[in-house]
Amino acid sequence: CQDFGSQQQSQSKSRIIAVFFQSLYSASADVIDAANAGLKAVLQHTNKLPKDLLQNGLRPILMNLQDAKKLSVQGLDGLARLLALLTNYFKAEIGEKLLEHMKVIADKAVLEKASFALIEQNPQMKIVVATFNIFHLLPSNPHISAATFMNDLINRVLELEEALRRTQYSPFREPLLKYINRYPKEAWAFFFPKLHEMRYGRFLAQLLAAEASGPLRAVIVVDIDGLKQNSFDLHDMEKREPACVNAVHVVYSICQHNTEWLADRGPLLQTLMLVGKELYSKRKTDKIMSNLRLAAEQAGEQLIHIFVAYLSCVPQNLDFLFHLIDMVTSDEIKLQPSFFSYIYTHIISSPSHDYWRSIVMRSLDLYTTRHASQSTKTFAFRNLVNPILAMDVQRCMSNPIQQPFTDKNLAEAVHSKLWKPQLTDISEDSGQPGVDHSRLELLQMSALLLKHHHSLVSEARKDIIKFAWSYIRFEDTINKHAAYVLVGYFIAQFETPVKVSNQIYVALLKAHQNEGRALVMQGLDLIADVLPKRLTGTSDSKFPQWARWPKKILSEESSNLQQLISIFHFMVRHPNRFFESREHFIPLIIPSLSKIAQLPNPSNEHKKLVLSLIETIWHWEEQRVAITERPSSQMFESPQAKKRRLEASQGNSASPAPALGPPT
């Protein structure tokens, strides 16, 4: 460099620089890159290039700029490189010339033709994209600032996209964002007064959603109060509705990339809640402008995403969480899947027992309040409390050494806040319209505690059985049968008076409504294994008291098909339990098969039950034969089976008798 700086070598230096300029117009990309690197190295050691050398080097490009027909992608890319290297040698007036040429290149006929093909492959559109890529490199000077092209460029992109039928993405947006990112404050100043225009508001939100629009997002976050003032605080309703929709789109786009700024924006979130409630109400009552219906629907979805983003930043703000739950359950804001996703990801799957405890205790307090709606209580228990308890059980089963979340303190809280108060403050009429589904969730939570944590609630078992018994009095089929299931868990876990066990067992056998069949089967399954211990009212081991009740009901209700089906379902699910008493049931089963699967069109469910009953009888007979043909195993036989085998052998020695089978 010192040699080229001497007077003797100045001519050689000028020739080399001239070669660099000429190489910028080469067809080879490698040659262009090498020439660009050479010029960059020269400019690092030279403050100013000679005027004649600069004019000769720029003349080819400047000549092409005079005629729109001479513009090419290669020439415009070369101009972009020179602008990046020699910014101070150009004037911003080049932008005015390029805007004029753009109108000639992309005229109406060209745009119409290009709209039916791939825009990215159209030669004229490639030139337009290369032209847009010049503006972020233009210099600013006292006479004209490069930022003055903001209005023309944004409107030009909107016009091109409209003509090309592009509304979400186009190749013009990437170079436009480069320009906007250089002048983000000027861009926000352009969009700010136009928030009430759907065209500009939607376009701004889409630009903000792009990964490359970081500087523009930063400017708007700083001026979020200005956004609120020019949208949510407007008094002109004709402008306010579209401005609110656009503002929601803008906030949502920003939240896709950065949510930390929401942490201290509580007032903004409260305003968004009110706006969402207003838009949803107007849309339901068809009082919103017709051209805003789809945008308002999208804004409602985006609001839930914004609220979820805020809760992710400040998960301890339970007031906001339960306020949001109250709004979605009151149908003031439309519930979206993203809210359920947040609940599972950040609440149910949370590793913090303290956070779980705060959620559960808040839900327990919510249930005891009068002002909370049934739907809010139902949502809290169905989607927060019960899943948390279930997740705790799952974690403890997969990792036995883990400290369980459910402890004595939680059990006592449930006892004092839910089980005890319900004994004196419960009635069929909850005082609110509709079916109270929160009671079902409360019963489900109680059943879960009895199933997996019965030792923790053993001291409260007297209140638990009273609590469940109070729900059995209800006429609501689902809640009544759910209470039976809870009592079933109780009978399975704790010693229960024979009177209570017998009453629940008979009630379950007689319950045959279709809407509660699943709960009835669950309740019977729970107590099936403990029936011999809980019901001991007869000395006949072959036909105990618990087996007499199904026989009695089948005999008395033989004309009630649903009753028969309910009891037969119970029998086929526990065939071994009824083996010793089979001779009392087979004469009832055989005639009922034709009733269950009535021709000509029996249902699949009934056909399946008939096949299961036949299989059960076959299983009983196989078991009987296996017992009678197993003399070497007598020492392992149960007393009932041994007595039965001896009676069968005595009968055979007197006179052969046929095997037990269907009556003729």
mmCIF file of all heavy atoms in Angstrom, residues 330-367:
data_model
loop_
_atom_site.group_PDB
_atom_site.id
_atom_site.type_symbol
_atom_site.label_atom_id
_atom_site.label_comp_id
_atom_site.label_asym_id
_atom_site.label_seq_id
_atom_site.Cartn_x
_atom_site.Cartn_y
_atom_site.Cartn_z
ATOM 1 N N SER A 330 -67.961 -17.403 30.867
ATOM 2 C CA SER A 330 -69.175 -16.582 30.771
ATOM 3 C C SER A 330 -69.498 -16.216 29.328
ATOM 4 O O SER A 330 -70.421 -15.440 29.085
ATOM 5 C CB SER A 330 -69.000 -15.299 31.599
ATOM 6 O OG SER A 330 -68.728 -15.590 32.946
ATOM 7 N N ASP A 331 -68.727 -16.749 28.392
ATOM 8 C CA ASP A 331 -68.920 -16.498 26.963
ATOM 9 C C ASP A 331 -68.791 -15.009 26.638
ATOM 10 O O ASP A 331 -69.481 -14.488 25.777
ATOM 11 C CB ASP A 331 -70.283 -17.022 26.498
ATOM 12 C CG ASP A 331 -70.333 -17.215 24.977
ATOM 13 O OD1 ASP A 331 -69.271 -17.466 24.392
ATOM 14 O OD2 ASP A 331 -71.422 -17.096 24.397
ATOM 15 N N GLU A 332 -67.866 -14.351 27.330
ATOM 16 C CA GLU A 332 -67.576 -12.958 27.015
ATOM 17 C C GLU A 332 -66.409 -12.853 26.049
ATOM 18 O O GLU A 332 -66.274 -11.864 25.327
ATOM 19 C CB GLU A 332 -67.259 -12.188 28.300
ATOM 20 C CG GLU A 332 -68.455 -12.095 29.249
ATOM 21 C CD GLU A 332 -68.113 -11.358 30.529
ATOM 22 O OE1 GLU A 332 -66.909 -11.139 30.783
ATOM 23 O OE2 GLU A 332 -69.043 -10.991 31.271
ATOM 24 N N ILE A 333 -65.538 -13.855 26.065
ATOM 25 C CA ILE A 333 -64.448 -13.997 25.104
ATOM 26 C C ILE A 333 -64.445 -15.444 24.647
ATOM 27 O O ILE A 333 -64.615 -16.352 25.452
ATOM 28 C CB ILE A 333 -63.088 -13.626 25.724
ATOM 29 C CG1 ILE A 333 -63.037 -12.123 26.027
ATOM 30 C CG2 ILE A 333 -61.946 -13.988 24.795
ATOM 31 C CD1 ILE A 333 -61.719 -11.673 26.614
ATOM 32 N N LYS A 334 -64.243 -15.652 23.370
ATOM 33 C CA LYS A 334 -64.302 -17.009 22.828
ATOM 34 C C LYS A 334 -63.095 -17.821 23.280
ATOM 35 O O LYS A 334 -61.946 -17.389 23.170
ATOM 36 C CB LYS A 334 -64.355 -16.966 21.300
ATOM 37 C CG LYS A 334 -64.595 -18.329 20.662
ATOM 38 C CD LYS A 334 -64.762 -18.213 19.166
ATOM 39 C CE LYS A 334 -65.028 -19.573 18.539
ATOM 40 N NZ LYS A 334 -65.191 -19.477 17.065
ATOM 41 N N LEU A 335 -63.365 -19.003 23.802
ATOM 42 C CA LEU A 335 -62.309 -19.892 24.273
ATOM 43 C C LEU A 335 -61.572 -20.492 23.083
ATOM 44 O O LEU A 335 -62.192 -20.927 22.110
ATOM 45 C CB LEU A 335 -62.911 -20.991 25.143
ATOM 46 C CG LEU A 335 -61.937 -21.975 25.800
ATOM 47 C CD1 LEU A 335 -60.970 -21.252 26.706
ATOM 48 C CD2 LEU A 335 -62.715 -23.025 26.574
ATOM 49 N N GLN A 336 -60.247 -20.537 23.160
ATOM 50 C CA GLN A 336 -59.410 -21.036 22.075
ATOM 51 C C GLN A 336 -58.540 -22.192 22.564
ATOM 52 O O GLN A 336 -58.213 -22.277 23.760
ATOM 53 C CB GLN A 336 -58.519 -19.917 21.531
ATOM 54 C CG GLN A 336 -59.262 -18.697 21.025
ATOM 55 C CD GLN A 336 -60.114 -18.985 19.799
ATOM 56 O OE1 GLN A 336 -59.852 -19.934 19.069
ATOM 57 N NE2 GLN A 336 -61.145 -18.171 19.581
ATOM 58 N N PRO A 337 -58.136 -23.091 21.660
ATOM 59 C CA PRO A 337 -57.276 -24.221 22.069
ATOM 60 C C PRO A 337 -55.957 -23.787 22.688
ATOM 61 O O PRO A 337 -55.381 -24.529 23.484
ATOM 62 C CB PRO A 337 -57.053 -24.969 20.742
ATOM 63 C CG PRO A 337 -58.205 -24.592 19.871
ATOM 64 C CD PRO A 337 -58.559 -23.194 20.251
ATOM 65 N N SER A 338 -55.474 -22.599 22.330
ATOM 66 C CA SER A 338 -54.191 -22.143 22.879
ATOM 67 C C SER A 338 -54.258 -21.994 24.395
ATOM 68 O O SER A 338 -53.236 -22.141 25.081
ATOM 69 C CB SER A 338 -53.790 -20.815 22.227
ATOM 70 O OG SER A 338 -54.791 -19.830 22.425
ATOM 71 N N PHE A 339 -55.431 -21.706 24.931
ATOM 72 C CA PHE A 339 -55.565 -21.569 26.386
ATOM 73 C C PHE A 339 -55.406 -22.926 27.062
ATOM 74 O O PHE A 339 -54.730 -23.049 28.096
ATOM 75 C CB PHE A 339 -56.913 -20.938 26.729
ATOM 76 C CG PHE A 339 -57.055 -20.541 28.173
ATOM 77 C CD1 PHE A 339 -55.984 -20.028 28.880
ATOM 78 C CD2 PHE A 339 -58.263 -20.684 28.837
ATOM 79 C CE1 PHE A 339 -56.096 -19.657 30.211
ATOM 80 C CE2 PHE A 339 -58.396 -20.315 30.159
ATOM 81 C CZ PHE A 339 -57.310 -19.808 30.848
ATOM 82 N N PHE A 340 -56.010 -23.958 26.486
ATOM 83 C CA PHE A 340 -55.843 -25.303 27.038
ATOM 84 C C PHE A 340 -54.377 -25.753 26.923
ATOM 85 O O PHE A 340 -53.855 -26.426 27.810
ATOM 86 C CB PHE A 340 -56.750 -26.295 26.320
ATOM 87 C CG PHE A 340 -58.217 -26.094 26.592
ATOM 88 C CD1 PHE A 340 -59.058 -25.610 25.609
ATOM 89 C CD2 PHE A 340 -58.753 -26.377 27.835
ATOM 90 C CE1 PHE A 340 -60.404 -25.419 25.852
ATOM 91 C CE2 PHE A 340 -60.103 -26.196 28.091
ATOM 92 C CZ PHE A 340 -60.926 -25.713 27.099
ATOM 93 N N SER A 341 -53.744 -25.386 25.817
ATOM 94 C CA SER A 341 -52.334 -25.732 25.649
ATOM 95 C C SER A 341 -51.482 -25.079 26.728
ATOM 96 O O SER A 341 -50.578 -25.710 27.295
ATOM 97 C CB SER A 341 -51.855 -25.289 24.259
ATOM 98 O OG SER A 341 -50.476 -25.540 24.087
ATOM 99 N N TYR A 342 -51.776 -23.819 27.027
ATOM 100 C CA TYR A 342 -51.035 -23.131 28.091
ATOM 101 C C TYR A 342 -51.267 -23.817 29.441
ATOM 102 O O TYR A 342 -50.322 -24.020 30.212
ATOM 103 C CB TYR A 342 -51.460 -21.666 28.171
ATOM 104 C CG TYR A 342 -51.016 -20.993 29.452
ATOM 105 C CD1 TYR A 342 -49.709 -20.551 29.602
ATOM 106 C CD2 TYR A 342 -51.895 -20.848 30.532
ATOM 107 C CE1 TYR A 342 -49.282 -19.974 30.796
ATOM 108 C CE2 TYR A 342 -51.474 -20.260 31.721
ATOM 109 C CZ TYR A 342 -50.166 -19.823 31.840
ATOM 110 O OH TYR A 342 -49.750 -19.258 33.017
ATOM 111 N N ILE A 343 -52.512 -24.152 29.721
ATOM 112 C CA ILE A 343 -52.831 -24.772 31.013
ATOM 113 C C ILE A 343 -52.047 -26.069 31.202
ATOM 114 O O ILE A 343 -51.452 -26.312 32.257
ATOM 115 C CB ILE A 343 -54.348 -25.025 31.123
ATOM 116 C CG1 ILE A 343 -55.097 -23.692 31.293
ATOM 117 C CG2 ILE A 343 -54.668 -25.954 32.293
ATOM 118 C CD1 ILE A 343 -56.599 -23.827 31.292
ATOM 119 N N TYR A 344 -52.003 -26.874 30.153
ATOM 120 C CA TYR A 344 -51.281 -28.146 30.296
ATOM 121 C C TYR A 344 -49.775 -27.931 30.382
ATOM 122 O O TYR A 344 -49.096 -28.521 31.233
ATOM 123 C CB TYR A 344 -51.598 -29.073 29.122
ATOM 124 C CG TYR A 344 -50.887 -30.398 29.224
ATOM 125 C CD1 TYR A 344 -51.371 -31.396 30.062
ATOM 126 C CD2 TYR A 344 -49.711 -30.638 28.516
ATOM 127 C CE1 TYR A 344 -50.705 -32.609 30.195
ATOM 128 C CE2 TYR A 344 -49.037 -31.837 28.636
ATOM 129 C CZ TYR A 344 -49.541 -32.824 29.476
ATOM 130 O OH TYR A 344 -48.866 -34.009 29.605
ATOM 131 N N THR A 345 -49.246 -27.062 29.515
ATOM 132 C CA THR A 345 -47.797 -26.888 29.435
ATOM 133 C C THR A 345 -47.230 -26.174 30.654
ATOM 134 O O THR A 345 -46.189 -26.568 31.188
ATOM 135 C CB THR A 345 -47.427 -26.110 28.160
ATOM 136 O OG1 THR A 345 -47.969 -26.771 27.019
ATOM 137 C CG2 THR A 345 -45.924 -26.006 28.002
ATOM 138 N N HIS A 346 -47.903 -25.116 31.115
ATOM 139 C CA HIS A 346 -47.331 -24.268 32.154
ATOM 140 C C HIS A 346 -47.914 -24.511 33.547
ATOM 141 O O HIS A 346 -47.304 -24.086 34.538
ATOM 142 C CB HIS A 346 -47.525 -22.792 31.788
ATOM 143 C CG HIS A 346 -46.734 -22.359 30.599
ATOM 144 N ND1 HIS A 346 -47.171 -22.571 29.305
ATOM 145 C CD2 HIS A 346 -45.536 -21.748 30.495
ATOM 146 C CE1 HIS A 346 -46.273 -22.088 28.471
ATOM 147 N NE2 HIS A 346 -45.274 -21.592 29.154
ATOM 148 N N ILE A 347 -49.071 -25.155 33.634
ATOM 149 C CA ILE A 347 -49.678 -25.381 34.950
ATOM 150 C C ILE A 347 -49.651 -26.870 35.303
ATOM 151 O O ILE A 347 -49.042 -27.269 36.296
ATOM 152 C CB ILE A 347 -51.118 -24.833 34.987
ATOM 153 C CG1 ILE A 347 -51.115 -23.312 34.755
ATOM 154 C CG2 ILE A 347 -51.769 -25.151 36.327
ATOM 155 C CD1 ILE A 347 -52.498 -22.680 34.763
ATOM 156 N N ILE A 348 -50.313 -27.675 34.495
ATOM 157 C CA ILE A 348 -50.391 -29.113 34.804
ATOM 158 C C ILE A 348 -48.999 -29.748 34.786
ATOM 159 O O ILE A 348 -48.685 -30.598 35.625
ATOM 160 C CB ILE A 348 -51.327 -29.829 33.822
ATOM 161 C CG1 ILE A 348 -52.682 -29.117 33.736
ATOM 162 C CG2 ILE A 348 -51.512 -31.285 34.245
ATOM 163 C CD1 ILE A 348 -53.372 -28.935 35.062
ATOM 164 N N SER A 349 -48.158 -29.349 33.858
ATOM 165 C CA SER A 349 -46.817 -29.934 33.738
ATOM 166 C C SER A 349 -45.774 -29.179 34.544
ATOM 167 O O SER A 349 -44.578 -29.453 34.401
ATOM 168 C CB SER A 349 -46.400 -29.979 32.256
ATOM 169 O OG SER A 349 -47.301 -30.744 31.493
ATOM 170 N N SER A 350 -46.191 -28.234 35.343
ATOM 171 C CA SER A 350 -45.238 -27.465 36.136
ATOM 172 C C SER A 350 -44.571 -28.353 37.186
ATOM 173 O O SER A 350 -45.229 -29.161 37.840
ATOM 174 C CB SER A 350 -45.948 -26.295 36.833
ATOM 175 O OG SER A 350 -45.073 -25.639 37.721
ATOM 176 N N PRO A 351 -43.264 -28.201 37.383
ATOM 177 C CA PRO A 351 -42.583 -29.014 38.409
ATOM 178 C C PRO A 351 -42.713 -28.436 39.814
ATOM 179 O O PRO A 351 -42.316 -29.089 40.783
ATOM 180 C CB PRO A 351 -41.121 -28.976 37.944
ATOM 181 C CG PRO A 351 -40.986 -27.652 37.246
ATOM 182 C CD PRO A 351 -42.321 -27.389 36.591
ATOM 183 N N SER A 352 -43.275 -27.250 39.938
ATOM 184 C CA SER A 352 -43.334 -26.564 41.220
ATOM 185 C C SER A 352 -44.569 -26.983 42.017
ATOM 186 O O SER A 352 -45.703 -26.724 41.602
ATOM 187 C CB SER A 352 -43.340 -25.047 41.004
ATOM 188 O OG SER A 352 -43.561 -24.362 42.213
ATOM 189 N N HIS A 353 -44.344 -27.599 43.160
ATOM 190 C CA HIS A 353 -45.458 -27.954 44.038
ATOM 191 C C HIS A 353 -46.076 -26.713 44.674
ATOM 192 O O HIS A 353 -47.287 -26.684 44.937
ATOM 193 C CB HIS A 353 -44.977 -28.913 45.135
ATOM 194 C CG HIS A 353 -44.806 -30.317 44.654
ATOM 195 N ND1 HIS A 353 -44.526 -31.371 45.493
ATOM 196 C CD2 HIS A 353 -44.894 -30.850 43.405
ATOM 197 C CE1 HIS A 353 -44.444 -32.493 44.797
ATOM 198 N NE2 HIS A 353 -44.651 -32.199 43.529
ATOM 199 N N ASP A 354 -45.266 -25.698 44.918
ATOM 200 C CA ASP A 354 -45.804 -24.462 45.492
ATOM 201 C C ASP A 354 -46.778 -23.793 44.529
ATOM 202 O O ASP A 354 -47.824 -23.265 44.945
ATOM 203 C CB ASP A 354 -44.666 -23.500 45.832
ATOM 204 C CG ASP A 354 -43.809 -24.006 46.986
ATOM 205 O OD1 ASP A 354 -44.330 -24.817 47.779
ATOM 206 O OD2 ASP A 354 -42.638 -23.604 47.074
ATOM 207 N N TYR A 355 -46.432 -23.800 43.239
ATOM 208 C CA TYR A 355 -47.330 -23.209 42.239
ATOM 209 C C TYR A 355 -48.615 -24.010 42.141
ATOM 210 O O TYR A 355 -49.718 -23.454 42.079
ATOM 211 C CB TYR A 355 -46.617 -23.148 40.897
ATOM 212 C CG TYR A 355 -47.398 -22.455 39.808
ATOM 213 C CD1 TYR A 355 -47.931 -21.184 40.005
ATOM 214 C CD2 TYR A 355 -47.619 -23.068 38.574
ATOM 215 C CE1 TYR A 355 -48.646 -20.548 39.020
ATOM 216 C CE2 TYR A 355 -48.322 -22.434 37.579
ATOM 217 C CZ TYR A 355 -48.841 -21.175 37.800
ATOM 218 O OH TYR A 355 -49.557 -20.544 36.818
ATOM 219 N N TRP A 356 -48.488 -25.333 42.135
ATOM 220 C CA TRP A 356 -49.678 -26.193 42.138
ATOM 221 C C TRP A 356 -50.562 -25.889 43.345
ATOM 222 O O TRP A 356 -51.784 -25.781 43.217
ATOM 223 C CB TRP A 356 -49.242 -27.650 42.182
ATOM 224 C CG TRP A 356 -48.987 -28.267 40.845
ATOM 225 C CD1 TRP A 356 -49.048 -27.630 39.639
ATOM 226 C CD2 TRP A 356 -48.656 -29.627 40.582
ATOM 227 N NE1 TRP A 356 -48.760 -28.517 38.630
ATOM 228 C CE2 TRP A 356 -48.511 -29.750 39.184
ATOM 229 C CE3 TRP A 356 -48.445 -30.734 41.368
ATOM 230 C CZ2 TRP A 356 -48.182 -30.955 38.576
ATOM 231 C CZ3 TRP A 356 -48.117 -31.939 40.763
ATOM 232 C CH2 TRP A 356 -47.990 -32.047 39.386
ATOM 233 N N ARG A 357 -49.926 -25.741 44.514
ATOM 234 C CA ARG A 357 -50.703 -25.526 45.723
ATOM 235 C C ARG A 357 -51.472 -24.205 45.657
ATOM 236 O O ARG A 357 -52.630 -24.120 46.081
ATOM 237 C CB ARG A 357 -49.787 -25.550 46.951
ATOM 238 C CG ARG A 357 -50.514 -25.640 48.282
ATOM 239 C CD ARG A 357 -49.531 -25.878 49.415
ATOM 240 N NE ARG A 357 -48.724 -27.062 49.179
ATOM 241 C CZ ARG A 357 -49.131 -28.305 49.423
ATOM 242 N NH1 ARG A 357 -50.332 -28.507 49.925
ATOM 243 N NH2 ARG A 357 -48.350 -29.327 49.167
ATOM 244 N N SER A 358 -50.821 -23.175 45.111
ATOM 245 C CA SER A 358 -51.503 -21.883 44.994
ATOM 246 C C SER A 358 -52.698 -21.979 44.056
ATOM 247 O O SER A 358 -53.754 -21.387 44.320
ATOM 248 C CB SER A 358 -50.520 -20.817 44.496
ATOM 249 O OG SER A 358 -50.034 -21.121 43.200
ATOM 250 N N ILE A 359 -52.564 -22.754 42.971
ATOM 251 C CA ILE A 359 -53.674 -22.941 42.032
ATOM 252 C C ILE A 359 -54.815 -23.708 42.693
ATOM 253 O O ILE A 359 -55.994 -23.321 42.609
ATOM 254 C CB ILE A 359 -53.190 -23.683 40.769
ATOM 255 C CG1 ILE A 359 -52.196 -22.828 39.971
ATOM 256 C CG2 ILE A 359 -54.373 -24.080 39.895
ATOM 257 C CD1 ILE A 359 -52.791 -21.687 39.216
ATOM 258 N N VAL A 360 -54.481 -24.798 43.366
ATOM 259 C CA VAL A 360 -55.512 -25.650 43.965
ATOM 260 C C VAL A 360 -56.236 -24.906 45.088
ATOM 261 O O VAL A 360 -57.479 -24.934 45.167
ATOM 262 C CB VAL A 360 -54.889 -26.965 44.485
ATOM 263 C CG1 VAL A 360 -55.904 -27.761 45.285
ATOM 264 C CG2 VAL A 360 -54.373 -27.795 43.313
ATOM 265 N N MET A 361 -55.485 -24.233 45.937
ATOM 266 C CA MET A 361 -56.125 -23.515 47.046
ATOM 267 C C MET A 361 -56.998 -22.380 46.533
ATOM 268 O O MET A 361 -58.078 -22.115 47.075
ATOM 269 C CB MET A 361 -55.058 -22.976 47.998
ATOM 270 C CG MET A 361 -54.199 -24.053 48.654
ATOM 271 S SD MET A 361 -55.162 -25.334 49.504
ATOM 272 C CE MET A 361 -55.818 -24.375 50.849
ATOM 273 N N ARG A 362 -56.561 -21.723 45.471
ATOM 274 C CA ARG A 362 -57.389 -20.657 44.887
ATOM 275 C C ARG A 362 -58.681 -21.251 44.320
ATOM 276 O O ARG A 362 -59.763 -20.653 44.433
ATOM 277 C CB ARG A 362 -56.597 -19.940 43.787
ATOM 278 C CG ARG A 362 -57.324 -18.806 43.087
ATOM 279 C CD ARG A 362 -57.618 -17.654 44.038
ATOM 280 N NE ARG A 362 -58.272 -16.561 43.355
ATOM 281 C CZ ARG A 362 -57.625 -15.509 42.851
ATOM 282 N NH1 ARG A 362 -56.307 -15.406 42.979
ATOM 283 N NH2 ARG A 362 -58.280 -14.548 42.249
ATOM 284 N N SER A 363 -58.591 -22.436 43.731
ATOM 285 C CA SER A 363 -59.784 -23.089 43.180
ATOM 286 C C SER A 363 -60.730 -23.530 44.290
ATOM 287 O O SER A 363 -61.959 -23.442 44.142
ATOM 288 C CB SER A 363 -59.375 -24.294 42.322
ATOM 289 O OG SER A 363 -58.555 -23.894 41.240
ATOM 290 N N LEU A 364 -60.172 -24.012 45.391
ATOM 291 C CA LEU A 364 -61.020 -24.399 46.519
ATOM 292 C C LEU A 364 -61.768 -23.189 47.075
ATOM 293 O O LEU A 364 -62.962 -23.273 47.393
ATOM 294 C CB LEU A 364 -60.175 -25.046 47.616
ATOM 295 C CG LEU A 364 -59.475 -26.365 47.277
ATOM 296 C CD1 LEU A 364 -58.706 -26.885 48.484
ATOM 297 C CD2 LEU A 364 -60.464 -27.410 46.793
ATOM 298 N N ASP A 365 -61.053 -22.077 47.196
ATOM 299 C CA ASP A 365 -61.714 -20.850 47.668
ATOM 300 C C ASP A 365 -62.772 -20.389 46.672
ATOM 301 O O ASP A 365 -63.831 -19.881 47.072
ATOM 302 C CB ASP A 365 -60.675 -19.743 47.874
ATOM 303 C CG ASP A 365 -59.722 -20.053 49.020
ATOM 304 O OD1 ASP A 365 -60.115 -20.838 49.905
ATOM 305 O OD2 ASP A 365 -58.589 -19.529 49.016
ATOM 306 N N LEU A 366 -62.485 -20.567 45.392
ATOM 307 C CA LEU A 366 -63.449 -20.175 44.357
ATOM 308 C C LEU A 366 -64.751 -20.956 44.493
ATOM 309 O O LEU A 366 -65.847 -20.405 44.336
ATOM 310 C CB LEU A 366 -62.832 -20.391 42.968
ATOM 311 C CG LEU A 366 -63.730 -20.115 41.762
ATOM 312 C CD1 LEU A 366 -63.923 -18.610 41.597
ATOM 313 C CD2 LEU A 366 -63.123 -20.698 40.487
ATOM 314 N N TYR A 367 -64.637 -22.248 44.800
ATOM 315 C CA TYR A 367 -65.829 -23.087 44.890
ATOM 316 C C TYR A 367 -66.728 -22.676 46.054
ATOM 317 O O TYR A 367 -67.950 -22.829 45.991
ATOM 318 C CB TYR A 367 -65.436 -24.555 45.042
ATOM 319 C CG TYR A 367 -66.567 -25.508 44.738
ATOM 320 C CD1 TYR A 367 -66.738 -26.017 43.457
ATOM 321 C CD2 TYR A 367 -67.471 -25.885 45.725
ATOM 322 C CE1 TYR A 367 -67.786 -26.876 43.165
ATOM 323 C CE2 TYR A 367 -68.520 -26.740 45.447
ATOM 324 C CZ TYR A 367 -68.674 -27.232 44.167
ATOM 325 O OH TYR A 367 -69.717 -28.072 43.871
#
